Amino acid sequence: MDSDGDGVGDINGITSRVQYLKDLGVDAMILSPIFKSPMYDFGFDVTDYYNIHHEYGTTEDLEILVKKAEELNMKVILDFVPNHTSNDSDWFVKSSQKDEYYSDWYIWEDGHLDVNGLRRPPNNWLSFFGKSAWTYVPSRDQFYLHQFGDSEPDLNYRNPVLVEEIKTLMKYWLEKGVAGLRLSSVNYLVEADKDLYGGHYPDELTTGKRGVESENYNYLEHIYTKDQDENYDMVSQFREAFDSITIRDNVTRVLMTEACTSIKKAVKYYGEGVHSGAHIPLNFALTKDLGKESDARDIKYAVDRWLTYKPLKKQANWVTGTQDKSRVASRFRPELVDSFNMLLLLLPGIAITYMGEELGMVNGFVPWSETRDPLACGTDDPVNFIEVTRDPIRTPFQWTNGKNAGFSDADKTWLPVAEGYEHNNVANEKAAARSHYQVYRSLTGLRARPAFRLGRYESVALNKDIFAFKRWYNDDAYVVVMNVGKVYQVVNLTAFDLIFGQLEVEVSSVLSSRTYGDTVQANYLDLAADEALVVRMQV
């Protein structure tokens, strides 16, 4: 929500809408990066971690938001970017000038001259945004590493002074009252130790993938620049910093980590042995492993795989959308929005919703002329940028069917509002008898029951179109069943132990003909295409 008419959402805008989140059943909100930044990469390029970016407000505004949230028994979590800063940061400016204190806070390396006498980077490493991951700075006559944009130089986590400064920053915001931090891209923090390779960073091997250009990030196997074992030790050190605040008042400060990596590497962020890790290593199984062609068997595999790999006594967590991943209504189809919200909210563990997924928002259209995502801009391609741009997922939240979907009074918002806001908006969906919002709110209410907070879990793909799972605690048992296919189906839920007779409908998807309190037969349940139900065993 934009509170000051500049077309950009801000902290006071969130504060004005906190009651909406409370009514929705939300316990905590995670803000996208809000620290001072030139905004080349939407705040992921930080110049000053101790101050708030002026477009978003002030530290005092954040304190007011935290207080308002606490009054409603809600928490505020900040997105913290530990891998890199902005190249406008004082730290980097001083490092580029070889300031004695800051000189080694970033990854600096000598280049070399090729046979034609042209200056070349130290090796073949590539940026996630494409092209070389090295940029030359004349004042040092060296290159700095940037695994993301060239305005985002990587910090040097082999420097213990830098590590202590990052811990101090984290504790500063935790002591300000925020409930935790979400750490972005933690699997990029530490690069290979060049001392093990004769004092020079080695080239990475090519993937051999056909049709991938040599400047594309996917051209190389990133064995030296991500997923190093030292990343886990660094997260463990961060956890110690968090716990040092927690121990003062016995209120847990939550450490969340984002690492797009293999499942075996992702679950290691929970910690191993005597080393504690993150409370919530984010699980992207529902975004990364499923697509338009996925069926009920793929859903079962993705869900059960995470539950199998995570440590037995640790909480699972589920994410159906992020600022980087196409929205559910666009990634799959609008009719499956309720099914995915049932998965998210009723599977065992923590549920994390990307704003607007509770409304069934779709990806917006952002033309090349209005594109802001550096990943898309870096393609220099006004046609094919659409394949990588993340702007369509980041369009303004839809409050009403009025100007700018009620997000802002400005003549122009930071990104254009998505199509369909006239009906997919809070005001319309709250007033409707049946809507994605109403389904979501029913699910958050249901989620508070012991069967979903504490209960057991069992799943089955009844056929390629029907995924179902059972949650139960003592004698209170529920089945969540969804038809993700496009044809009518009849299924038998007695495939689950102790599910029989009549079942009562607790929640139904928007297009379902059933409603709360209806009864269905466990051994003969007909489901329309895209229909999803939560049913309860009658006792």
Side-chain angles (χ1 to χ4, degrees), residues 493-535:
L493 297 184
T494 64
F496 291 108
D497 284 345
L498 300 179
I499 296 295
F500 56 88
Q502 284 195 329
L503 308 175
E504 188 172 343
V505 174
E506 289 280 349
V507 184
S508 57
S509 56
V510 167
L511 297 178
S512 172
S513 62
R514 275 86 174 213
T515 189
Y516 175 77
D518 286 354
T519 57
V520 297
Q521 295 299 319
N523 64 352
Y524 189 93
L525 173 61
D526 58 309
L527 289 171
D530 303 314
E531 184 174 9
L533 301 173
V534 183
V535 293

Side-chain angles (χ1 to χ4, degrees), residues 241-435:
F242 276 57
D243 290 348
S244 71
I245 306 296
T246 293
I247 204 167
R248 298 178 193 174
D249 56 11
N250 203 31
V251 176
T252 300
R253 270 58 172 196
V254 175
L255 172 58
M256 306 173 70
T257 52
E258 180 226 17
C260 292
T261 186
S262 69
I263 191 167
K264 287 184 179 180
K265 291 171 182 174
V267 296
K268 281 181 70 175
Y269 284 103
Y270 278 106
E272 291 184 316
V274 297
H275 298 291
S276 296
H279 299 92
I280 308 175
L282 290 169
N283 163 24
F284 298 110
L286 299 182
T287 61
K288 191 173 71 170
D289 298 346
L290 300 176
K292 260 191 166 54
E293 302 305 313
S294 298
D295 62 25
R297 298 165 297 187
D298 299 312
I299 295 173
K300 175 175 170 57
Y301 180 74
V303 170
D304 292 357
R305 187 167 177 249
W306 180 267
L307 291 173
T308 300
Y309 273 94
K310 77 163 186 66
L312 191 61
K313 296 192 181 296
K314 301 289 187 180
Q315 281 264 39
N317 70 88
W318 309 96
V319 178
T320 52
T322 73
Q323 76 274 10
D324 296 329
K325 195 71 176 177
S326 182
R327 290 187 173 279
V328 168
S330 299
R331 193 162 81 245
F332 302 100
R333 54 185 184 273
E335 293 81 4
L336 293 182
V337 166
D338 297 327
S339 293
F340 273 86
N341 282 333
M342 287 179 186
L343 277 174
L344 178 78
L345 292 163
L346 300 182
L347 287 171
I350 297 156
I352 302 167
T353 296
Y354 181 56
M355 64 91 184
E357 295 290 3
E358 77 279 17
L359 304 175
M361 280 178 60
V362 300
N363 293 352
F365 172 71
V366 183
W368 174 251
S369 60
E370 295 184 61
T371 292
R372 302 188 54 167
D373 181 5
L375 185 59
C377 295
T379 64
D380 299 320
D381 187 338
V383 176
N384 295 312
F385 80 98
I386 204 74
E387 295 175 11
V388 299
T389 183
R390 298 167 295 179
D391 286 344
I393 309 138
R394 301 172 175 182
T395 56
F397 191 80
Q398 296 162 194
W399 292 104
T400 70
N401 62 4
K403 179 181 178 181
N404 298 324
F407 171 78
S408 172
D409 293 331
D411 291 332
K412 187 175 183 179
T413 51
W414 76 287
L415 285 174
V417 173
E419 292 181 3
Y421 76 89
E422 297 87 355
H423 54 271
N424 279 130
N425 63 71
V426 172
N428 184 54
E429 294 200 25
K430 283 181 79 169
R434 294 177 73 83
S435 67

Side-chain angles (χ1 to χ4, degrees), residues 64-268:
I64 292 169
L65 172 59
V66 168
K67 187 172 184 295
K68 175 75 171 176
E70 285 179 347
E71 290 171 358
L72 296 172
N73 197 28
M74 295 172 63
K75 306 293 186 185
V76 176
I77 298 169
L78 300 185
D79 201 323
F80 190 91
V81 187
N83 180 68
H84 51 261
T85 69
S86 164
N87 59 353
D88 288 343
S89 163
D90 283 346
W91 295 358
F92 184 77
V93 171
K94 290 175 180 176
S95 186
S96 65
Q97 296 166 348
K98 288 195 173 182
D99 177 277
E100 185 176 356
Y101 186 69
Y102 292 97
S103 181
D104 196 32
W105 281 36
Y106 295 84
I107 308 291
W108 293 99
E109 187 73 355
D110 295 332
H112 63 273
L113 298 178
D114 66 14
V115 293
N116 297 315
L118 297 174
R119 184 181 291 108
R120 295 298 183 190
N123 63 19
N124 71 343
W125 291 358
L126 294 171
S127 159
F128 184 78
F129 290 167
K131 303 177 184 175
S132 176
W134 298 97
T135 292
Y136 180 71
V137 174
S139 62
R140 277 190 68 131
D141 190 27
Q142 284 185 307
F143 289 78
Y144 65 86
L145 177 69
H146 52 89
Q147 295 209 59
F148 294 89
D150 59 8
S151 64
E152 298 169 310
D154 274 43
L155 290 163
N156 178 15
Y157 276 87
R158 296 192 184 278
N159 180 340
V161 177
L162 177 275
V163 172
E164 288 307 310
E165 176 63 23
I166 296 296
K167 292 179 189 176
T168 299
L169 279 166
M170 292 175 173
K171 289 190 277 191
Y172 174 82
W173 288 107
L174 295 175
E175 288 170 340
K176 282 281 185 188
V178 301
L181 301 174
R182 173 193 183 274
L183 308 188
S184 300
S185 305
V186 294
N187 56 325
Y188 289 88
L189 293 180
V190 186
E191 294 72 37
D193 185 351
K194 67 179 181 180
D195 290 341
L196 300 177
Y197 301 92
H200 298 284
Y201 291 112
D203 280 349
E204 293 189 319
L205 302 175
T206 59
T207 60
K209 293 178 180 176
R210 298 180 64 181
V212 178
E213 295 181 358
S214 60
E215 291 189 330
N216 186 300
Y217 186 70
N218 294 320
Y219 185 74
L220 297 178
E221 296 279 4
H222 303 287
I223 57 175
Y224 299 123
T225 50
K226 61 181 287 195
D227 293 326
Q228 305 299 302
D229 285 341
E230 292 94 332
N231 290 320
Y232 300 109
D233 175 67
M234 199 55 57
V235 169
S236 180
Q237 290 189 47
F238 293 156
R239 174 64 181 268
E240 290 176 5
F242 276 57
D243 290 348
S244 71
I245 306 296
T246 293
I247 204 167
R248 298 178 193 174
D249 56 11
N250 203 31
V251 176
T252 300
R253 270 58 172 196
V254 175
L255 172 58
M256 306 173 70
T257 52
E258 180 226 17
C260 292
T261 186
S262 69
I263 191 167
K264 287 184 179 180
K265 291 171 182 174
V267 296
K268 281 181 70 175

